[in-house]
């Protein structure tokens, strides 16, 4: 089974656009009548729902940001009576008030559907054993993948995150065929397997869907070789629906966005101007089928580019490139935009280091300094100081060549950079500005 | 002919050396020689111990980055010029020394030295030809 819903996933684009326009018009009407926040915003711009006549009119609509969700905490942007909300999820709220999202029964159905497409594209079917090592609970990762896996009739192993040794034991004993977790946790699992003396040949694992943090093409190769699987990138965010917003097919050439539910745009994050195909900018989504919390032009802060040509897999859905960074994770060092993923690629390309690194940004005498901590692996260790110093220089030069700014590389002992079962903390910004 | 040296990667922060020695102590591993090469950020601890394989294993288990390297242990006359004589032999034969350190000897009239050279095999042959006493691994581990 290659597709979950061939009719939708491979629909010709003009028919798809008709569906999108019809759904967009309905959504705009719905938020105008049911969400005072959107009505006020549109009125300020002198807009009425009837002004939306074709897909290009989307650009007339106002943006929604994470701050707007916080300002309307908890339920201010919901478009249905709370009695129709059957599920609440929320972000952790580490950077402020949590972002609360709500789903109607119909929304949960859509979510299961887009996640089913995602898992089928990653090789799953009703015979699969899907081990879900994303956290369950208010975080959308666990339950999102769970409902999708149930929709296709796979056997779900809802282990949630943590308990690493037990994860591996169950993977062996239960014959897990598909693993869902963050990419850094996948590597941590592989590392722990080695320590436990479990060989990848003991696993029935065939593929995995990984996300919830940025990861590079090289990290994919590491995961694929260490676990002997095909590693698929998936994409989602709770504000839009959770995992399942976009998914990779077997050609791994970008993630197909479930465009019959989510309308994507790429904008210049500074000016808000809509950019063309292939141009890098901030990804913006308008949900066109959601009932509980429809969002208009929601700014994801993720930086990527879109490609519209038909994929070799037969799907017509637009493909988004791997996210190269975030407008808010992006660190600006002496005026240069730096994404942790760039450093990760450099380290992996050198082939001598495990991707355990951390960036420390500080300001010394009014000058930004970037320090890169890299864990020394056995493979790169030498009993000679000069060889380690050469390695340090090689890493420094490779990073400087890529970023175009000077950095200080410091080799540190293994396992001293904090491991995470969720998102790896890659940047520590100590600048006091 | 070679002696197995254990090398450990250490960040320059307090307490790390104590941890290494305490791990070794717990496993009844006796240290007969050690040296530390350090830079501003990190150091390499080099150890000669009585049970190198066990030391390698327990240090790894305790999360250290460790490697084993073959080095040469020689005995030189414990009097002025004793070491110079050996170094002169190596120099004349164009053998570069990566590093060396002296080591607590329990043999009268002899000072013991650990040498890491570029070409170990050639070095051993030349030292032997010149009558320099080379210690076997067993001799060193039992010191």
């Amino acid at each position: 089974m290659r597709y979950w819903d061939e009719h939708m996933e491979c629909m010709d684009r003009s028919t798809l656009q008709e569906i999108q326009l019809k759904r967009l018009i309905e959504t705009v009407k719905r938020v105008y009548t049911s969400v005072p926040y959107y009505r006020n915003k549109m009125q300020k711009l002198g807009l009425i729902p009837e002004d939306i006549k074709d897909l290009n009119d989307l650009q007339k609509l106002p943006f929604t940001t994470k701050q707007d969700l916080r300002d309307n905490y908890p339920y201010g942007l919901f478009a249905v009576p709370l009695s129709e909300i059957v599920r609440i999820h929320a972000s952790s709220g580490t950077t402020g008030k949590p972002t609360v999202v709500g789903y109607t029964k119909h929304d949960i159905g859509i979510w299961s559907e887009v996640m089913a497409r995602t898992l089928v594209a990653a090789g799953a079917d009703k015979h699969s054993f899907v081990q879900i090592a994303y956290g369950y609970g208010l975080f959308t990762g666990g339950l999102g993948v769970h409902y999708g896996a149930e929709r296709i009739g796979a056997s779900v192993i809802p282990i949630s995150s943590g308990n690493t040794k037990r994860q591996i034991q169950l993977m062996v004993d239960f014959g897990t065929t598909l693993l869902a977790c963050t990419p850094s946790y996948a590597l941590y699992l592989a590392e722990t397997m080695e320590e436990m003396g479990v060989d990848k040949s003991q696993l029935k694992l065939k593929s995995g869907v990984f996300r919830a943090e940025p990861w590079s093409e090289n990290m994919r190769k590491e995961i694929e070789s260490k676990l002997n699987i095909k590693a698929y990138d998936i994409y989602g965010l709770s504000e839009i629906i959770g995992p399942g917003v976009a998914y990779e097919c077997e050609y791994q050439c970008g993630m197909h966005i479930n465009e019959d539910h989510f309308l994507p745009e790429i904008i210049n994050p500074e000016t808000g101007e809509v950019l063309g195909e292939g141009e890098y900018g901030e990804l913006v989504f308008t949900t066109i089928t959601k009932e509980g919390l429809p969002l208009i032009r929601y700014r994801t802060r993720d930086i990527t580019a879109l490609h519209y040509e038909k994929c070799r897999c037969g799907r017509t859905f637009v493909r988004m490139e791997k996210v190269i960074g975030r407008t808010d994770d992006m660190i600006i060092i002496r005026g240069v935009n730096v994404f942790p993923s760039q450093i990760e690629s450099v380290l992996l390309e050198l082939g001598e280091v495990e991707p355990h690194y951390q960036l420390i940004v500080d300001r010394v005498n009014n000058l930004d300094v970037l320090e890169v901590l890299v864990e020394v692996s056995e493979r790169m260790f030498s009993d000679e100081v000069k060889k380690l110093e050469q390695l340090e220089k090689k890493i420094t030069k490779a990073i400087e060549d890529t970023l175009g700014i000077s950095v200080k590389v410091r080799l540190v002992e293994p396992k001293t950079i904090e491991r995470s079962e969720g998102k790896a903390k890659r940047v520590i910004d100590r600048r006091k500005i | 002919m070679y002696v197995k040296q254990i090398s450990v990667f250490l960040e320059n922060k307090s307490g790390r050396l104590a941890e290494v020695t305490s791990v070794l102590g717990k496993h009844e591993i006796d240290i007969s020689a050690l040296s530390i090469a350090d830079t501003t950020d990190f150091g390499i601890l080099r150890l000669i111990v009585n049970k190198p394989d066990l030391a390698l294993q327990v240090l790894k288990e305790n999360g250290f980055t460790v490697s084993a390297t073959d080095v040469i242990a020689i005995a030189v006359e414990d009097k002025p010029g004793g070491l110079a004589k050996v170094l002169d032999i190596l120099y004349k034969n164009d053998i570069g020394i990566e590093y060396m350190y002296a080591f607590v000897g329990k043999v009268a009239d002899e000072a013991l030295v650990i040498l890491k050279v570029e070409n170990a095999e050639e070095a051993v042959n030349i030292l032997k030809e010149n009558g320099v006493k080379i210690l076997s691994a067993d001799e060193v581990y039992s010191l």
Side-chain angles (χ1 to χ4, degrees):
Chain A
M1 190 165 33
R2 261 173 92 202
Y3 312 108
W4 172 249
D5 182 355
E6 185 170 358
H7 171 69
M8 286 312 305
E9 293 176 78
C10 303
M11 174 175 290
D12 73 84
R13 289 205 63 88
S14 62
T15 319
L16 176 65
Q17 283 168 349
E18 279 170 36
I19 294 174
Q20 287 175 324
L21 179 60
K22 188 171 153 271
R23 291 178 172 178
L24 173 65
I25 290 171
E26 281 167 14
T27 299
V28 173
K29 272 185 197 151
R30 186 142 28 94
V31 297
Y32 192 84
T33 46
S34 338
V35 186
Y37 168 82
Y38 277 120
R39 187 166 54 245
N40 291 340
K41 249 186 160 177
M42 285 174 64
Q43 280 170 348
K44 270 187 198 148
L45 292 167
L47 276 176
I48 52 166
E50 288 68 31
D51 291 331
I52 307 304
K53 296 188 192 74
D54 67 59
L55 286 174
N56 281 329
D57 290 333
L58 182 61
Q59 296 183 26
K60 295 178 182 167
L61 292 164
F63 291 114
T64 310
T65 64
K66 202 177 185 78
Q67 192 55 45
D68 294 326
L69 288 171
R70 285 183 181 147
D71 291 346
N72 290 280
Y73 176 85
Y75 304 134
L77 294 182
F78 286 18
V80 295
L82 290 174
S83 59
E84 284 180 41
I85 297 291
V86 299
R87 178 92 65 74
I88 307 278
H89 280 283
S91 69
S92 56
T94 41
T95 54
K97 270 187 187 161
T99 311
V100 180
V101 297
Y103 303 75
T104 64
K105 201 174 169 210
H106 178 252
D107 292 338
I108 296 280
I110 291 170
W111 195 8
S112 311
E113 199 61 22
V114 293
M115 207 45 231
R117 292 177 188 172
T118 302
L119 291 169
V120 168
D125 59 25
K126 64 177 181 177
H127 303 294
S128 302
F129 285 79
V130 177
Q131 183 157 334
I132 301 172
Y134 277 119
Y136 277 65
L138 285 177
F139 171 58
T140 48
L143 281 165
V145 180
H146 185 104
Y147 273 61
E150 277 194 354
R151 175 68 57 109
I152 63 176
S155 309
V156 182
I157 304 166
I159 189 164
S160 193
S161 57
N163 251 323
T164 307
K165 286 190 175 157
R166 187 146 175 262
Q167 297 265 5
I168 292 162
Q169 196 57 54
L170 297 194
M171 226 183 269
V172 174
D173 296 348
F174 293 0
T176 301
T177 57
L178 187 145
L179 172 68
C181 62
T182 60
S184 59
Y185 192 54
L187 279 179
Y188 184 53
L189 281 167
E191 214 175 75
T192 312
M193 262 172 55
E194 269 173 42
E195 281 169 18
M196 288 168 68
V198 172
D199 189 78
K200 57 190 174 189
S201 64
Q202 290 169 256
L203 304 177
K204 289 197 174 137
L205 213 53
K206 291 195 187 80
S207 59
V209 291
F210 305 110
R211 188 60 206 171
E213 64 184 11
W215 54 311
S216 64
E217 212 42 55
N218 283 306
M219 195 158 169
R220 187 210 303 270
K221 282 181 202 143
E222 288 270 321
I223 294 173
E224 291 192 332
S225 78
K226 285 194 167 160
L227 291 173
N228 196 26
I229 59 170
K230 192 152 177 171
Y232 292 87
D233 199 0
I234 61 173
Y235 179 82
L237 61 165
S238 60
E239 295 87 331
I240 299 308
I241 203 148
V245 173
Y247 58 101
E248 257 181 355
C249 64
E250 69 264 37
Y251 293 102
Q252 298 182 324
C253 54
M255 288 170 280
H256 293 281
I257 294 173
N258 280 300
E259 274 184 287
D260 50 337
H261 299 289
F262 320 111
L263 270 188
E265 296 170 277
I266 295 287
I267 63 160
N268 175 329
E270 316 276 309
T271 63
E273 172 207 0
V274 176
L275 302 175
E277 178 168 359
E279 289 187 85
Y280 287 96
E282 182 176 349
L283 181 61
V284 171
F285 279 113
T286 300
T287 69
I288 51 175
T289 50
K290 251 171 71 186
E291 295 176 342
L293 179 63
L295 289 180
I296 303 293
R297 305 191 83 198
Y298 182 73
R299 295 183 59 159
T300 63
R301 303 187 191 186
D302 286 327
I303 308 276
T304 182
L306 298 179
H307 298 281
Y308 283 91
E309 77 270 29
K310 189 173 170 179
C311 182
R312 278 181 290 163
C313 72
R315 288 179 183 82
T316 47
F317 285 162
V318 66
R319 280 169 289 146
M320 58 179 273
E321 284 184 28
K322 201 174 251 307
V323 171
I324 60 163
R326 285 173 62 77
T327 56
D328 50 354
D329 263 5
M330 183 177 82
I331 31 181
I332 302 176
I333 295 163
R334 302 197 286 278
V336 177
N337 298 348
V338 172
F339 296 106
S341 56
Q342 290 175 292
I343 305 223
E344 184 170 302
S345 300
V346 170
L347 293 178
L348 284 160
E349 256 157 44
L350 289 172
E352 291 189 76
V353 280
E354 302 289 328
H356 293 301
Y357 65 95
Q358 195 162 49
L359 311 184
I360 298 178
V361 194
D362 210 339
R363 184 160 286 187
V364 181
N365 300 327
N366 291 318
L367 189 70
D368 294 336
V369 284
L370 174 61
E371 188 176 37
V372 183
L373 306 188
V374 180
E375 281 187 10
V376 173
S377 67
E378 230 161 80
R379 203 159 21 126
M380 63 202 267
F381 178 54
S382 158
D383 60 311
E384 290 173 38
V385 171
K386 77 172 177 219
K387 287 198 181 140
L388 282 183
E389 282 179 339
Q390 278 164 3
L391 175 74
E392 230 175 30
K393 273 190 201 135
K394 194 168 138 193
I395 298 173
T396 308
K397 185 174 183 306
I399 294 176
E400 287 178 349
D401 287 349
T402 302
L403 301 182
I405 54 168
S406 62
V407 296
K408 157 101 181 85
V409 170
R410 183 150 63 91
L411 301 178
V412 297
E413 287 177 31
K415 312 265 160 81
T416 51
I417 292 173
E418 191 191 342
R419 295 295 188 275
S420 162
E421 289 173 347
K423 303 183 190 203
K425 187 163 175 53
R426 295 301 192 194
V427 181
I428 296 175
D429 198 336
R430 292 184 181 148
R431 286 176 292 191
K432 288 182 186 73
I433 300 167
Chain B
M1 197 46 65
Y2 302 120
V3 176
K4 207 183 254 182
Q5 171 196 278
I6 303 300
S7 313
V8 191
F9 179 81
L10 290 180
E11 271 175 69
N12 281 354
K13 53 185 184 190
S14 57
R16 296 304 284 155
L17 192 54
E19 274 174 61
V20 173
T21 48
S22 124
V23 167
L24 296 177
K26 257 182 232 157
H27 292 87
E28 308 271 311
I29 296 167
D30 195 23
I31 303 171
S32 43
L34 70 79
S35 108
I36 301 176
D38 68 337
T39 70
T40 2
D41 297 332
F42 63 84
I44 301 171
L45 171 66
R46 302 175 184 131
L47 294 163
I48 303 293
V49 296
N50 60 343
K51 296 171 218 162
D53 294 328
L54 179 66
L56 193 67
Q57 184 201 327
V58 297
L59 288 171
K60 270 188 193 173
E61 281 168 7
N62 280 276
F64 289 98
T65 298
V66 198
S67 70
T69 320
D70 285 335
V71 293
I72 303 167
I74 55 166
V76 301
E77 283 178 281
D78 192 7
K79 64 176 194 191
L83 179 60
K85 215 164 89 185
V86 176
L87 294 183
D88 194 47
I89 296 167
L90 293 173
Y91 167 67
K92 287 203 172 115
N93 286 281
D94 212 18
I95 291 175
I97 298 171
E98 304 284 357
Y99 55 80
M100 60 177 282
Y101 50 100
F103 140 24
V104 189
K106 291 176 184 164
V107 187
D109 305 329
E110 280 179 346
L112 306 180
V113 174
I114 293 289
L115 278 176
K116 167 85 186 282
V117 295
E118 284 158 3
N119 187 341
E121 208 183 320
E122 196 188 338
V124 166
N125 290 335
I126 288 162
L127 290 171
K128 271 190 192 162
E129 280 164 25
N130 285 277
V132 177
K133 183 175 165 194
I134 298 175
L135 281 77
S136 74
D138 286 344
E139 281 174 277
V140 172
Y141 300 155
S142 62
L143 280 172

